[in-house]
Amino acid sequence: MSRRKRGNSTELRAAPASRRSGGDVGGAAFIASADARLPQAAASSSRLSTLVCVVLIAGATVAAYHNSLRGPFVFDDSYWIVENPSIRHLWPIWDVLFSERAISYGGRPVVALSLAVNYACGANVWGYHAMNVAIHFLAALTLFGVIRRTLSLPRLRDRFGPAATPLALIATLLWTVHPLQTSAVTYVIQRAETLVSLFYLLIIYCVIRGANASESSSKRSKARYIGAVAAAVLGAATKEVVVTAPAVLLLYDRAFLSGSFRNSLAQRWGLYLALVASWGVTVWGLVSTRLHAGSVGFAVSEFTWWSYLLTQPGVLLHYLRMAVWPSGLALDYGWPRAQTFGEIVPAAALIVGMLGFTFWAVVKRPVLGFLPAAFFLILAPTSSFVPILDAAFDHRMYLALAPVVVLAVSVGYVFLDRRLSRPTATGAQFVVRRWAAPLAALTAILIALCSATIKRNDDFRSDVAIWQDTVDKRPQNARAHNGLGDAFKDQGNTEQALAQYEQALEIKPELSESFLSLLHILSAQDRLDRGIEHARQVLKSQPRNPQAHNNLAGFLAAADRPDEALVQFKQALAIDSDNLDTHIRLADFFFHQGKLDDAIAQYQLILRAQPDAADTRNNWARALAAQGHDAAALAEARRALEIKPDLAPAHLTLADVFAHQGKADEATVELKKALEINPDFAEAHHNLGFLLANRGKTDEAIAHFQRALEIKPDLAEAHNNLAVTLERSGKDDAAIEHFRKAIEIYPRYPEAHNNLGALLSNRGNFDDAITHLRKAIELRPDYDEARKNLDLALQRRDASVLRSSKLLPGLPTSAGKSKSP
């Protein structure tokens, strides 16, 4: 059947009703006016329809995300927002844009600036969520503009032009309320994805406007091209995804604007040259972070380039399935490598087929091929052969969902336009009779998607809720179990936290976060036997896993069984002598055992493999300081700060050395620098309180000890040293309370037992005092001061005489060398 070519709305209006397409009537729903043939009235109607669309998009955004505003920070939000000192000021702006942490977040200064603006407006989580929703709304408006103007271009006007506005609105609403978007909108730090998508869409929108400017508006056209370049630069300073924008734009230009690649480049070669030049910002970001410090690149341990490439077909099909049926969304998939025939071949065959069709369509049918090509290009930076630490995250589909939705809406419209009967009614009656059923179905779909998004946002209502949801959906994801363990620990639910940490280590023994958390809790509860038994059980199932041996070694070392621990470390090295994590743990083991030469040898070995490992270099400095090599320790700590200027623990090391040298002023300066970098650095507050107490500034010292405990309530040393300072101020009852708290946190703390025993002895509570003093000697047989205090307590008890003098140990002599549990 032949189809008459149609031009503009005036021609369509003059045609007989029986020959009109559904497209012109759909457009009439937005342009219904008796004076539609008049340009002024048409323009006014167009502005009104645009305003209506903006209001509808805004309403849909608010409806879908109103309950996201009360969610907490989750997952990486803590590091990039809560613990990020560089976002706590707006001036000087260069310190915000190019701080160490802004650069380490993939060279993304625009993201850092947006976080700093949030902080300046009030450091509450509600404001961060509100900005994320606002960015999502702006991206939706820009997408609406791109779709509407594209459907109105000459190459699509005949088919879609009169219905451009309603189709653009429908596609935008589906994209806006789709639950797949929650990972980018509700998870705060993923605003990097929403921001870069906004800039990506602005590039295309500006070029559409510039290309369609009249000859008399050449200045306006150039201004819009400049706007596209500015958006590209901002996008490059936001996230790497924007590097594919020039390729997507060129395909768009050829398909919808110029008709060929030659014409595109001839007409806009300067624009494309400028867009490609913006890649320099992206290159700077990658180089400055050494490919994201191990999260991206060919050195990533979890994937090789080949295994990552073979895994991505399954990931892409997962993304497409989620776009069609968004069930099973997870915060963290922990996507495993594809290894079996069934995991690789079927998915790869489907994706290769899709790519083949896309290539054919781009060559032969550019208009048809643009949307699938855009989908694959947008995902190319994360779903190709360059390995990334995590194979799949939902937020990567944020912009890539747009071509999927637009394709579905376009195909659905063409299909229905050809299949639906054409009633003899006109105007609004025609729209109602012909499109009532599809519009009702569409409304149901939008309501269902919006409801699913609201429900998904509710999963983010607490740390426990989102991690429990993740564990339920991805039970083999060790990191999810660790996250749930952290959430339970923060709630004070220790037993459930322990169970989650143990589950995480059974799945992935190399997950150091779970090991350290488990070790910390079990040490505090004096239940290390549970950790040792669990580690042995893991070793039975994974006897050749060096990390499982490392974990057992760590528990044995904490239980004061160093010889057995060393055997496990040696077995780990026998399995994999190049395992740096084993060398790091062994170095720390030697350090805490006082075997400083062995510790230094391990630190040097690690630094030969990783010269820029600032943390290891700082640990080496600590070992040198412990040996009395102050000059070398200062040099290495300063070198660590050159590598990583915001390494607050390095300032702590410098303060320790200066305190040991009797340079209290210099030590104080370094501790204040550490607190400038991280105001919530509990150990720095503790050590500063330590120095102030030794200088007689009791009130200031108490304030810093208390601040340390607000940040880190389980810092046993802060309780002990606060208690000593309180006792010196005559506040014995408060001192006893904090001594007991220190012992509750760390029962194997000999200094706290000694200090509490001495104070109780002074107050006449001899039996309790003797118990604690004997415990101090049991834990540390060479503890002469505890022996003297015990002898005195026994004499007092026997004589039943209270003496006014006492032997109370003072504060440790070296700031930063507090007696660590």
Side-chain angles (χ1 to χ4, degrees):
M1 178 181 291
S2 63
R3 181 164 53 92
R4 177 183 298 180
K5 294 189 70 174
R6 290 165 289 191
N8 52 41
S9 58
T10 302
E11 293 172 345
L12 288 167
R13 197 171 289 107
S18 60
R19 304 181 73 172
R20 295 177 191 167
S21 73
D24 41 349
V25 180
F30 284 85
I31 313 175
S33 170
D35 299 320
R37 277 170 281 189
L38 299 176
Q40 184 177 0
S44 176
S45 178
S46 178
R47 284 193 294 270
L48 178 61
S49 66
T50 300
L51 179 60
V52 170
C53 291
V54 170
V55 171
L56 288 173
I57 293 169
T61 304
V62 172
Y65 287 97
H66 70 278
N67 66 326
S68 72
L69 303 182
R70 62 176 181 263
F73 291 121
V74 298
F75 207 4
D76 288 345
D77 287 345
S78 295
Y79 180 77
W80 296 115
I81 301 174
V82 180
E83 302 168 6
N84 186 353
S86 66
I87 67 169
R88 293 171 185 164
H89 60 274
L90 279 172
W91 192 260
I93 194 170
W94 299 109
D95 289 348
V96 180
L97 295 175
F98 304 113
S99 69
E100 177 68 19
R101 199 161 299 198
I103 293 174
S104 67
Y105 188 44
R108 298 171 184 177
V110 172
V111 180
L113 180 60
S114 75
L115 296 173
V117 169
N118 263 134
Y119 189 89
C121 294
N124 58 77
V125 67
W126 182 93
Y128 291 90
H129 281 299
M131 182 176 283
N132 274 28
V133 174
I135 294 169
H136 182 49
F137 171 61
L138 292 175
L141 286 184
T142 311
L143 177 63
F144 170 74
V146 169
I147 299 171
R148 188 180 66 150
R149 289 186 176 275
T150 301
L151 296 179
S152 301
L153 290 172
R155 291 177 181 270
L156 296 177
R157 187 180 299 153
D158 285 349
R159 169 59 66 184
F160 299 105
T165 299
L167 290 177
L169 176 63
I170 290 167
T172 302
L173 289 176
L174 289 169
W175 182 84
T176 301
V177 304
H178 199 291
L180 189 54
Q181 308 294 55
T182 54
S183 181
V185 180
T186 309
Y187 178 9
V188 175
I189 195 56
Q190 295 309 332
R191 74 168 50 164
E193 199 72 43
T194 57
L195 267 175
V196 77
S197 299
L198 172 59
F199 294 132
Y200 204 121
L201 291 166
L202 281 171
I203 294 170
I204 299 173
Y205 182 78
C206 288
V207 172
I208 296 172
R209 296 296 305 274
N212 285 291
S214 63
E215 292 295 330
S216 60
S217 304
S218 59
K219 289 185 178 180
R220 185 176 300 176
S221 178
K222 289 179 181 178
R224 288 165 177 168
Y225 290 156
I226 291 172
V229 174
V233 172
L234 290 171
T238 302
K239 197 172 183 182
E240 300 79 1
V241 174
V242 82
V243 297
T244 63
V248 171
L249 180 63
L250 185 60
L251 291 176
Y252 181 97
D253 194 344
R254 179 248 190 153
F256 303 111
L257 298 176
S258 64
S260 71
F261 291 129
R262 177 178 295 180
N263 290 341
S264 299
L265 296 174
Q267 294 170 14
R268 283 174 280 276
W269 64 270
L271 169 66
Y272 286 104
L273 187 62
L275 292 176
V276 171
S278 71
W279 290 351
V281 178
T282 301
V283 172
W284 164 80
L286 292 172
V287 171
S288 65
T289 61
R290 298 181 297 280
L291 293 179
H292 298 270
S295 67
V296 177
F298 297 98
V300 178
S301 60
E302 195 70 21
F303 293 97
T304 63
W305 73 269
W306 181 244
S307 65
Y308 193 81
L309 179 65
L310 293 178
T311 300
Q312 282 307 305
V315 172
L316 290 170
L317 290 180
H318 164 78
Y319 288 156
L320 289 171
R321 183 180 69 81
M322 288 298 177
V324 176
W325 188 256
S327 174
L329 297 172
L331 176 67
D332 178 15
Y333 288 98
W335 201 280
R337 285 179 295 168
Q339 300 182 53
T340 66
F341 179 91
E343 292 172 330
I344 296 171
V345 176
L350 281 171
I351 294 301
V352 169
M354 292 181 188
L355 286 170
F357 169 79
T358 300
F359 180 78
W360 171 86
V362 166
V363 174
K364 299 294 185 181
R365 302 284 297 275
V367 172
L368 178 63
F370 171 73
L371 288 173
F375 170 80
F376 284 114
L377 283 170
I378 291 168
L379 288 174
T382 55
S383 292
S384 59
F385 63 91
V386 178
I388 301 176
L389 188 60
D390 294 288
F393 267 127
D394 287 336
H395 64 260
R396 295 172 186 168
M397 266 294 286
Y398 180 77
L399 181 59
L401 181 63
V404 177
V405 169
V406 173
L407 182 62
V409 170
S410 302
V411 171
Y413 171 74
V414 171
F415 176 81
L416 290 173
D417 186 37
R418 291 178 176 176
R419 292 287 183 267
L420 292 177
S421 62
R422 303 176 186 275
T424 57
T426 60
Q429 289 184 353
F430 185 97
V431 175
V432 171
R433 292 185 183 182
R434 191 168 193 239
W435 295 98
L439 287 174
L442 175 65
T443 301
I445 292 171
L446 284 170
I447 292 173
L449 290 175
C450 188
S451 299
T453 295
I454 294 170
K455 185 176 183 299
R456 179 59 181 160
N457 287 332
D458 194 52
D459 291 334
F460 285 84
R461 68 187 179 275
S462 70
D463 278 337
V464 169
I466 190 61
W467 284 117
Q468 186 66 65
D469 173 80
T470 308
V471 165
D472 291 343
K473 292 171 180 174
R474 311 294 290 192
Q476 291 303 306
N477 183 351
R479 195 163 60 186
H481 286 283
N482 180 76
L484 183 55
D486 288 343
F488 280 133
K489 183 177 70 173
D490 291 342
Q491 281 191 344
N493 194 336
T494 305
E495 285 305 312
Q496 290 201 52
L498 289 173
Q500 293 300 322
Y501 291 138
E502 289 172 343
Q503 183 67 28
L505 290 173
E506 287 176 17
I507 298 168
K508 192 174 183 179
E510 56 269 31
L511 196 64
S512 60
E513 297 94 331
S514 291
F515 164 74
L516 292 173
S517 297
L518 187 61
L519 176 63
H520 178 78
I521 294 175
L522 293 176
S523 295
Q525 296 181 349
D526 206 13
R527 299 166 62 189
L528 287 165
D529 286 346
R530 171 172 173 170
I532 292 170
E533 179 59 29
H534 177 266
R536 292 193 190 280
Q537 289 297 323
V538 174
L539 265 176
K540 287 181 180 179
S541 60
Q542 303 183 53
R544 297 290 299 170
N545 190 319
Q547 298 294 355
H549 287 282
N550 288 338
N551 292 344
L552 177 56
F555 287 120
L556 290 168
D560 288 337
R561 295 159 65 176
D563 294 338
E564 295 175 70
L566 189 57
V567 169
Q568 294 300 321
F569 280 127
K570 289 180 177 178
Q571 289 185 13
L573 288 174
I575 295 169
D576 183 1
S577 61
D578 295 327
N579 189 312
L580 285 181
D581 188 64
T582 302
H583 289 288
I584 290 169
R585 294 200 194 188
L586 184 57
D588 291 339
F589 167 78
F590 283 139
F591 180 86
H592 290 297
Q593 289 295 312
K595 299 179 179 180
L596 298 177
D597 289 335
D598 292 331
I600 288 172
Q602 291 297 318
Y603 289 136
Q604 290 174 328
L605 185 152
I606 297 163
L607 288 169
R608 282 195 292 272
Q610 295 181 336
D612 291 336
D615 294 288
T616 298
R617 194 167 291 277
N618 180 56
N619 288 338
W620 182 18
R622 290 174 56 232
L624 290 169
Q627 284 188 325
H629 302 313
D630 289 354
L634 290 173
E636 293 306 326
R638 286 169 176 153
R639 172 63 181 141
L641 285 169
E642 289 176 7
I643 298 169
K644 191 175 182 181
D646 70 343
L647 186 63
H651 288 289
L652 208 66
T653 302
L654 293 173
D656 182 44
V657 175
F658 286 135
H660 182 258
Q661 293 176 338
K663 299 177 180 178
D665 291 337
E666 288 88 338
T668 300
V669 168
E670 293 300 330
L671 289 171
K672 288 182 177 178
K673 287 181 180 178
L675 289 173
E676 286 176 8
I677 294 171
N678 183 7
D680 295 333
F681 191 1
E683 287 77 5
H685 280 290
H686 168 260
N687 286 3
L688 184 54
F690 205 87
L691 284 175
L692 292 168
N694 282 338
R695 299 175 77 174
K697 298 182 178 181
T698 304
D699 291 340
E700 292 181 59
I702 290 173
H704 279 285
F705 286 137
Q706 290 175 335
R707 178 60 184 141
L709 290 171
E710 286 175 10
I711 300 165
K712 200 170 183 179
D714 59 354
L715 188 59
E717 294 217 81
H719 283 288
N720 176 71
N721 291 329
L722 173 58
V724 172
T725 309
L726 289 168
E727 184 188 358
R728 288 178 175 175
S729 301
K731 301 174 181 178
D732 287 0
D733 290 338
I736 290 172
E737 179 184 345
H738 282 283
F739 281 136
R740 292 193 187 281
K741 186 63 177 177
I743 292 169
E744 178 187 336
I745 293 168
Y746 181 45
R748 303 174 61 81
Y749 194 171
E751 290 77 17
H753 283 289
N754 172 66
N755 291 343
L756 178 58
L759 178 55
L760 292 172
S761 175
N762 287 338
R763 292 169 64 91
N765 190 345
F766 299 120
D767 291 339
D768 200 4
I770 290 168
T771 298
H772 283 288
L773 292 168
R774 284 175 171 164
K775 183 65 175 178
I777 295 168
E778 175 190 333
L779 293 169
R780 201 174 120 192
D782 61 346
Y783 202 169
D784 292 337
E785 193 165 20
R787 291 185 182 278
K788 291 178 183 178
N789 287 334
L790 177 60
D791 290 341
L792 181 59
L794 290 169
Q795 292 172 17
R796 286 175 169 176
R797 185 191 63 179
D798 293 344
S800 297
V801 175
L802 294 177
R803 298 175 55 185
S804 59
S805 61
K806 61 185 175 72
L807 293 175
L808 177 64
L811 291 167
T813 58
S814 176
K817 291 187 181 176
S818 51
K819 304 169 183 64
S820 178

